[in-house]
Amino acid sequence: MKNPILVSTGSFWDGKNPLDNVEAIKKIRQLNVDGVEITFADPALLEGFFSNEVRNLLQKFRIVGMHLPGIKYQRNDKTSEIIRKCYCLYRLLKADYANLHMHWIKDASLFRGTRWNIVIENGGSRHGYLVKDMQEFLKKNRRFKMVLDVNHASESGEIGEYVKKLKNKIYAVHLGGGEIPDSAGHKLFHKAPEEYLKSCEPIKKLDCPIVIESNWGNNAELMKKELAFVRKWLKQKS
């Protein structure tokens, strides 16, 4: 399969209640997908994941990713402790990559000396980051690759530019229907307008995992429709 399909546990966030990653993983296990990306939006979500139950749940998946907490990664004891916990969990879960947003990183040297696959997610224009900023960051920090989040890149209409200029650096794609205004969530891809879908066409040139990151909350039918639509759009068999 050219593009392994993963599902982000963040897709089960309903916009109100805290995300239950374990329950989300159990639901993703029922789908015919290649992997899961576990969203640790808050450092508190790391607690309780150091268990045999979690390791056993993840054994079904070929690819496991971690979305690291949304904090400022700067040089202080609190940040160092969070990075240590993330790294220990990464090794314990035998994860394939750890993802974090570029605009969270205040000191990239914090990740030196560790043997994990760090991939950097692009921000949108509202964060003040564009393709040229990602190019500059990756040039300075050559050990990193990137996650192309089309939800964010669509803000500035740069999805195609990321593929054109950083194709060899793109490790994975976050796929959804665009940003939900004034929210941390993403719209459903299968409900996106034709113009938006057309703007996402360049990602079909990529040979990398596709992570579905759109919000269906507890609606199982929307989850199934989203997965079926993504497969059809990618022209994959279920």
Side-chain angles (χ1 to χ4, degrees):
M1 185 182 295
K2 178 185 176 184
N3 299 112
I5 293 181
L6 286 67
V7 174
S8 166
T9 60
S11 297
F12 294 86
W13 182 59
D14 61 8
K16 299 175 183 177
N17 303 302
L19 175 65
D20 188 328
N21 274 319
V22 174
E23 288 305 309
I25 291 169
K26 289 178 181 178
K27 291 176 181 177
I28 296 170
R29 278 172 56 88
Q30 298 171 22
L31 304 171
N32 181 24
V33 294
D34 300 282
V36 59
E37 182 176 292
I38 309 166
T39 302
F40 298 102
D42 188 288
L45 293 174
L46 295 165
E47 305 302 330
F49 249 74
F50 295 84
S51 69
N52 287 328
E53 178 194 10
V54 172
R55 288 202 299 274
N56 291 336
L57 286 173
L58 294 175
Q59 284 181 359
K60 176 180 179 178
F61 301 112
R62 184 159 62 90
I63 304 172
V64 174
M66 292 173 57
H67 195 306
L68 301 190
I71 64 169
K72 288 183 180 180
Y73 288 86
Q74 54 194 345
R75 193 163 293 281
N76 57 46
D77 292 342
K78 182 178 179 180
T79 302
S80 296
E81 178 61 15
I82 291 172
I83 291 176
R84 186 190 68 79
K85 284 185 178 180
C86 288
Y87 183 61
C88 288
L89 188 57
Y90 176 93
R91 296 295 298 272
L92 185 70
L93 301 181
K94 298 180 179 179
D96 296 276
Y97 68 92
N99 169 42
L100 70 162
H101 290 243
M102 183 171 66
H103 61 278
W104 294 345
I105 303 173
K106 306 304 177 185
D107 186 349
S109 69
L110 290 169
F111 298 95
R112 291 176 185 162
T114 52
R115 298 179 62 186
W116 54 350
N117 180 24
I118 299 288
V119 292
I120 310 301
E121 181 175 336
N122 58 285
S125 54
R126 66 190 171 113
H127 298 119
Y129 290 97
L130 303 172
V131 172
K132 61 182 178 63
D133 302 297
M134 180 62 80
Q135 285 180 297
E136 184 178 345
F137 181 89
L138 294 176
K139 187 175 181 180
K140 290 180 180 177
N141 301 278
R142 295 185 182 276
R143 65 163 291 190
F144 299 139
K145 287 197 172 183
M146 72 166 286
V147 168
L148 169 56
D149 188 302
V150 300
N151 301 291
H152 305 322
S154 65
E155 292 180 0
S156 54
E158 292 190 306
I159 297 172
E161 284 297 296
Y162 274 105
V163 175
K164 180 180 178 181
K165 296 181 177 178
L166 289 165
K167 183 177 180 179
N168 294 333
K169 278 289 189 177
I170 297 174
Y171 180 86
V173 169
H174 278 177
L175 188 63
E179 297 279 6
I180 298 175
D182 303 315
S183 169
H186 300 142
K187 298 176 184 178
L188 292 161
F189 190 67
H190 78 266
K191 290 191 174 184
E194 193 62 35
E195 184 180 355
Y196 181 91
L197 298 178
K198 187 176 180 180
S199 74
C200 293
E201 284 287 323
I203 72 168
K204 293 181 179 179
K205 300 175 183 177
L206 301 172
D207 186 5
C208 70
I210 304 292
V211 185
I212 301 177
E213 192 183 50
S214 49
N215 289 92
W216 51 71
N218 293 316
N219 193 321
E221 285 306 308
L222 283 178
M223 173 183 69
K224 292 175 184 177
K225 285 182 180 179
E226 185 79 338
L227 178 57
F229 184 86
V230 169
R231 286 198 188 283
K232 183 178 179 181
W233 186 76
L234 291 170
K235 293 182 171 57
Q236 290 185 1
K237 295 181 180 180
S238 61

